[in-house]
């Protein structure tokens, strides 16, 4: 199994903490990092700077792809009327424009990187929704359900191409460096999705395999977002690599929280069905950790999931049946272990910043974004 050099060892379920309750949120940042940051304003800054350029890029698409993409981004409704949809958390644009400030550049320098990362991210969402059969995203019907599978595939491909176009048309050496890094992250993202799909058809997946998949699927693109603005601002390779380490481990923390929300999240907040990851038979961290923990609940869960894999009536399971599976995952320790892993990855991400010389204000914003990722509810 390939090991990403940014990854440090992860504790297997049941091997740490002596059976004691572990924290579900990361410890407070060190005192010298505790500068008040308005995270909402920080996220909104990234969204405000990136959205006009993102809209201009999408407008280049040929009809009807431009309209389909606009629907996906929440700019119009299914009838083509202007809408004020939920455009997502905007963590990636916020990181991209923030990373430009590491070099002393204005945040606007990071905007092409922010847009490119958002285009790649949304390419993956369009394809993932179709492959996973997800009918809802951000409280609305997904693109494939409204406009059909063919349009979801085509628009996703178009967004991926646009991402490279937005960067390369800058025509600078830094743009070429940024494109290479984003392309590598994109390949990792696709690898992660392929692993995710293959794991759905396996009875067992190890914790290490799950973390590798999630590092590819989520960590790689957040790593790119965390460094791309700095690269466009002229950062050297060591600085870019270190910012990528921060983003990679932040991505693992982000995905661990996402895995918790995928089972126990409030549908009103997440915009997805109850027990959404269980309905898709995903081998997410809570499931994998519970299966690896041993004990009666773990063994019973393994028996049930093995039987589930053989049934043709899975889609018709009742809410109570999914709730029973979630209860076994929690009893076996999968929920607690995943929360602890989110906290651990958050700590690694924050500590990576110590190797980068940057203004205290910028460091505080990176820390605040990391804190937000771990305590979010959607």
């Amino acid at each position: 199994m390939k090991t990403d050099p940014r990854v440090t060892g992860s504790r297997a379920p049941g091997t740490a903490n002596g059976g004691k309750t572990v924290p579900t949120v990361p410890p407070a940042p060190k005192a010298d990092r505790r500068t008040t940051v308005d995270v909402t304003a920080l996220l909104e800054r990234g969204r405000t700077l990136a959205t006009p350029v993102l809209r201009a890029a999408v407008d280049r698409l040929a009809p009807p792809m431009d309209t389909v993409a606009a629907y996906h981004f929440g700019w119009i409704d299914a009838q083509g009327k202007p809408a004020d949809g939920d455009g997502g958390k905007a963590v990636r644009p916020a990181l991209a424009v923030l990373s430009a400030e590491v070099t002393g550049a204005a945040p606007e320098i990071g905007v092409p990187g922010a847009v490119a990362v958002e285009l790649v991210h949304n390419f993956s969402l369009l394809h993932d929704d179709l492959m996973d059969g997800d009918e809802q995203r951000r409280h609305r019907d997904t693109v494939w359900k409204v406009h059909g599978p063919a349009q979801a595939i085509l628009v996703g491909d178009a967004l991926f191409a646009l991402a490279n176009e937005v960067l390369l048309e800058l025509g600078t050496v830094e743009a070429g460096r940024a494109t290479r890094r984003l392309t590598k992250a994109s390949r990792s993202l696709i690898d992660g999705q392929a692993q995710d799909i293959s794991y759905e058809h396996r009875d067992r997946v190890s914790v290490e395999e799950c973390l590798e998949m999630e590092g590819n699927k989520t960590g790689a693109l957040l790593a790119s977002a965390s460094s791309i603005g700095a690269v466009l601002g002229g950062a050297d390779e060591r600085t870019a690599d270190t910012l990528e380490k921060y983003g990679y481990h932040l991505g693992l923390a982000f995905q661990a929280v996402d895995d918790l929300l995928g089972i126990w999240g409030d549908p009103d907040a997440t915009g997805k069905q109850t027990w959404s990851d269980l309905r898709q038979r995903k081998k997410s961290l809570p499931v994998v950790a519970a299966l690896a923990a041993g004990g009666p609940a773990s063994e019973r869960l393994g028996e049930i999931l093995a039987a589930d894999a053989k049934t043709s009536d899975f889609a018709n399971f009742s809410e109570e049946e999914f709730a029973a599976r979630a209860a076994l995952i929690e009893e076996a320790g999968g929920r607690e272990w995943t929360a602890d892993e989110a906290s651990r990855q958050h700590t690694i991400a924050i500590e990576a910043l110590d190797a980068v010389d940057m203004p205290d204000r910028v460091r505080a914003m990176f820390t605040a974004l990391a804190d937000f990722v771990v305590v979010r509810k959607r």
Side-chain angles (χ1 to χ4, degrees):
M1 181 179 70
K2 296 180 291 183
T3 301
D4 193 297
R6 292 166 292 199
V7 178
T8 58
S10 182
R11 295 188 298 270
T15 62
N17 298 304
K20 297 179 181 178
T21 301
V22 294
T24 58
V25 294
K30 294 179 182 178
D32 60 343
R33 294 174 177 143
R34 296 192 70 177
T35 301
T36 301
V37 174
D38 185 342
V39 176
T40 300
L42 186 56
L43 295 170
E44 189 56 34
R45 181 183 75 159
R47 192 194 313 274
T48 299
L49 288 173
T51 297
V53 182
L54 182 62
R55 281 181 175 262
V58 169
D59 282 346
R60 302 179 195 180
L61 300 180
M65 290 188 296
D66 55 349
T67 300
V68 175
Y71 170 78
H72 169 74
F73 282 106
W75 303 332
I76 60 174
D77 63 18
Q79 288 72 46
K81 298 177 182 178
D84 186 20
D86 178 6
K89 292 169 282 294
V91 171
R92 293 167 187 83
L95 286 168
V97 299
L98 176 60
S99 72
E101 296 187 88
V102 171
T103 67
E108 288 79 6
I109 294 296
V111 168
V115 171
V117 169
E118 274 298 274
L119 288 167
V120 170
H121 174 54
N122 282 279
F123 137 74
S124 74
L125 296 183
L126 284 160
H127 285 193
D128 288 4
D129 285 344
L130 176 58
M131 285 184 273
D132 294 343
D134 281 342
E135 297 184 353
Q136 290 280 307
R137 178 172 293 282
R138 299 167 185 161
H139 306 281
R140 305 196 314 161
D141 286 344
T142 49
V143 164
W144 72 264
K145 189 166 183 215
V146 175
H147 295 282
Q151 284 298 325
I153 294 169
L154 286 170
V155 174
D157 291 347
L159 296 185
F160 184 79
L162 275 177
N164 294 309
E165 186 177 336
V166 165
L167 286 175
L168 290 173
E169 67 188 5
L170 295 174
T172 63
V173 171
E174 290 77 17
R177 291 172 58 211
T179 304
R180 283 195 297 274
R181 285 179 176 267
L182 181 60
T183 301
K184 183 178 179 181
S186 301
R187 181 166 55 81
S188 293
L189 184 158
I190 294 166
D191 287 347
Q193 175 65 0
Q195 290 170 315
D196 195 14
I197 291 173
S198 71
Y199 292 170
E200 292 174 21
H201 303 288
R202 286 173 49 181
D203 288 342
R204 295 280 175 147
V205 174
S206 71
V207 170
E208 291 74 20
E209 286 176 314
C210 189
L211 287 170
E212 181 189 12
M213 177 270 290
E214 296 193 343
N216 284 332
K217 189 171 179 178
T218 305
L221 196 58
L222 268 173
S224 182
S226 300
S227 64
I228 198 166
V231 172
L232 292 174
D236 59 29
E237 294 299 303
R238 176 185 171 279
T239 298
D241 287 345
T242 306
L243 290 172
E244 281 199 357
K245 180 178 179 180
Y246 160 87
Y248 182 83
H249 289 283
L250 181 61
L252 285 171
F254 186 103
Q255 189 58 54
V257 173
D258 222 43
D259 288 351
L260 292 169
L261 295 174
I263 298 176
W264 294 282
D266 179 358
D268 290 337
T270 64
K272 295 184 178 182
Q273 287 180 289
T274 54
W275 327 115
S276 61
D277 282 359
L278 297 183
R279 295 178 190 276
Q280 295 171 9
R281 310 186 198 202
K282 284 189 175 294
K283 299 297 189 298
S284 62
L285 269 180
V287 175
V288 171
L291 291 172
S298 177
E299 293 175 7
R300 177 60 180 149
L301 177 66
E303 293 168 358
I304 290 175
L305 295 183
D308 288 350
K310 299 174 183 177
T311 183
S312 60
D313 197 38
F314 190 77
N316 296 320
F317 279 13
S318 67
E319 291 290 300
E320 290 73 19
E321 288 173 295
F322 287 117
R325 285 153 179 75
L328 281 172
I329 294 168
E330 185 162 8
E331 184 181 346
R335 184 174 188 172
E336 182 178 296
W337 187 90
T338 303
D340 186 36
E341 182 65 8
S343 177
R344 196 182 74 85
Q345 294 293 345
H346 167 276
T347 299
I348 296 171
I350 296 300
E351 290 177 348
L353 296 175
D354 291 341
V356 180
D357 184 21
M358 68 179 82
D360 289 343
R361 176 184 61 84
V362 175
R363 189 183 307 277
M365 288 191 282
F366 272 116
T367 300
L369 282 172
D371 294 345
F372 165 78
V373 160
V374 176
V375 301
R376 66 195 170 89
K377 297 184 183 299
R378 67 183 182 95

